[in-house]
Amino acid sequence: MKGILLSGGMDSTTLAYLEQPDIAFNINYGQLPAKAEREASRKICRELNIKLIEINIDCSSLGSGDLAGKGKLEVGAESDWWPYRNQLLITLAATKALTQGCKELIIGTVASDSYHKDGSPEFIDRISALISFQEGGLIITAPGIKYSASDLIKIAKLPPQLLAMTHSCHKANLPCFECRGCNKHQNTLDDLEVL
């Protein structure tokens, strides 16, 4: 069985469409746009007929940067850096995925995410080795890691109605049009020549 960590953003939505997992996991971990991400994930899973498991764990006291509504830490590369965020989310999703019989957990990392170490191919290799070393043998994959968001969308031939369901803002449940998530979303639409 194959699962996906689904944020409701463009990258994980595109991979859900392309990979057709059996199950999706959306995590409200205390991030500011959690409500919009959850609603986007619900719509996408209904559209793709994927079972959605919703996980709620408040880690907001651990966060930093845009997603937590706090200042940027000096050790973080960008304003959207939350310490060990991908490691945390992968661990939480993997914990639930294993109980559902999953053998693979897909994450929506693309090439531009490597500006954070936990978005790099090296991180994916290491976290997969660590998770699969433990009982259950679950592997972590990032099928989009070699592609830009727009190239991945083109390869998948993502229908426009699915793209319209996504939420990318890091700061709010409505797009702020100022954060790195909103900027990436707009740049991707520009690349795709979507009006």
Side-chain angles (χ1 to χ4, degrees), residues 71-83:
K72 175 186 177 293
L73 293 180
E74 289 304 314
V75 295
E78 298 292 344
S79 65
D80 57 348
W81 187 71
W82 176 308

Side-chain angles (χ1 to χ4, degrees), residues 58-71:
D58 188 358
C59 300
S60 59
S61 65
L62 305 174
S64 70
D66 294 344
L67 289 160
K70 299 176 183 174

Side-chain angles (χ1 to χ4, degrees), residues 31-33 37 65-69 79-80 85 115 167-172 176 179-182:
Q31 73 277 33
L32 294 178
E37 290 180 1
D66 294 344
L67 289 160
S79 65
D80 57 348
R85 177 176 158 272
Y115 64 87
H167 183 79
S168 299
C169 185
H170 292 162
K171 293 183 174 183
C176 71
C179 69
R180 291 177 54 78
C182 285

Side-chain angles (χ1 to χ4, degrees), residues 27-79:
I27 304 176
N28 176 344
Y29 54 98
Q31 73 277 33
L32 294 178
K35 182 179 177 184
E37 290 180 1
R38 174 71 46 89
E39 187 54 36
S41 295
R42 287 174 178 165
K43 290 176 184 176
I44 291 154
C45 284
R46 276 194 301 268
E47 186 75 20
L48 297 177
N49 198 29
I50 297 171
K51 178 182 176 183
L52 177 63
I53 292 184
E54 299 175 357
I55 301 169
N56 299 302
I57 298 175
D58 188 358
C59 300
S60 59
S61 65
L62 305 174
S64 70
D66 294 344
L67 289 160
K70 299 176 183 174
K72 175 186 177 293
L73 293 180
E74 289 304 314
V75 295
E78 298 292 344
S79 65

Side-chain angles (χ1 to χ4, degrees), residues 8-158:
M10 292 185 301
D11 304 332
S12 61
T13 297
T14 303
L15 286 169
Y17 179 75
L18 185 63
E19 296 288 325
Q20 292 295 303
D22 304 288
I23 194 165
F25 305 93
N26 175 268
I27 304 176
N28 176 344
Y29 54 98
Q31 73 277 33
L32 294 178
K35 182 179 177 184
E37 290 180 1
R38 174 71 46 89
E39 187 54 36
S41 295
R42 287 174 178 165
K43 290 176 184 176
I44 291 154
C45 284
R46 276 194 301 268
E47 186 75 20
L48 297 177
N49 198 29
I50 297 171
K51 178 182 176 183
L52 177 63
I53 292 184
E54 299 175 357
I55 301 169
N56 299 302
I57 298 175
D58 188 358
C59 300
S60 59
S61 65
L62 305 174
S64 70
D66 294 344
L67 289 160
K70 299 176 183 174
K72 175 186 177 293
L73 293 180
E74 289 304 314
V75 295
E78 298 292 344
S79 65
D80 57 348
W81 187 71
W82 176 308
Y84 310 109
R85 177 176 158 272
N86 281 354
Q87 183 175 340
L88 173 70
L89 297 178
I90 290 167
T91 301
L92 293 171
T95 301
K96 191 64 176 176
L98 195 62
T99 69
Q100 300 298 304
C102 290
K103 296 297 180 189
E104 177 184 356
L105 179 64
I106 300 164
I107 64 166
T109 300
V110 294
S112 63
D113 294 331
S114 65
Y115 64 87
H116 294 309
K117 286 191 178 179
D118 66 0
S120 68
E122 295 81 10
F123 174 81
I124 303 305
D125 290 345
R126 289 177 181 188
I127 195 76
S128 184
L130 178 63
I131 297 283
S132 64
F133 168 74
Q134 298 171 77
E135 291 80 4
L138 179 68
I139 62 165
I140 309 302
T141 62
I145 201 160
K146 295 179 182 176
Y147 305 103
S148 69
S150 54
D151 285 344
L152 184 62
I153 290 168
K154 289 174 189 174
I155 289 166
K157 298 179 178 157
L158 185 71

